[in-house]
Amino acid sequence: QMETGGLWVHSPQWPTGEFCALLDDLNAPVDHIVLPCNAFEHKAPMQAFCKKYPKAKVWVSPGQFGPLGSCGTSLQDKI
């Protein structure tokens, strides 16, 4: 839990009822979701987790890739 009171979820698992109930028991909103690496097992649950907590900011490590392209290793060309 962050100083602001919200939660920072690092490498979330699938948003099952049990997992979400554990998060809800903390009585704090999920404010940030972090994808720390490009391993498939970490990327797989991201879409479902982000849909469950749509107000959260999503943080992704550089170098992500997938069937729709990649985000590269630098944000300089995106600014």
Side-chain angles (χ1 to χ4, degrees):
Q1 191 166 6
M2 301 175 60
E3 288 180 4
T4 59
L7 300 175
W8 173 284
V9 181
H10 186 87
S11 192
Q13 301 301 307
W14 290 97
T16 63
E18 181 181 9
F19 183 51
C20 292
L22 290 170
L23 286 175
D24 293 343
D25 285 347
L26 297 173
N27 294 317
V30 174
D31 286 344
H32 301 275
I33 303 169
V34 181
L35 178 59
C37 64
N38 60 14
F40 177 75
E41 59 270 19
H42 293 278
K43 292 196 285 188
M46 281 295 288
Q47 182 178 14
F49 197 86
C50 290
K51 284 183 178 181
K52 178 71 177 170
Y53 300 98
K55 293 182 180 179
K57 290 182 181 177
V58 178
W59 301 87
V60 179
S61 65
Q64 294 296 323
F65 60 90
L68 302 176
S70 67
C71 72
T73 58
S74 173
L75 295 178
Q76 291 301 319
D77 57 344
K78 308 292 183 202
I79 299 175

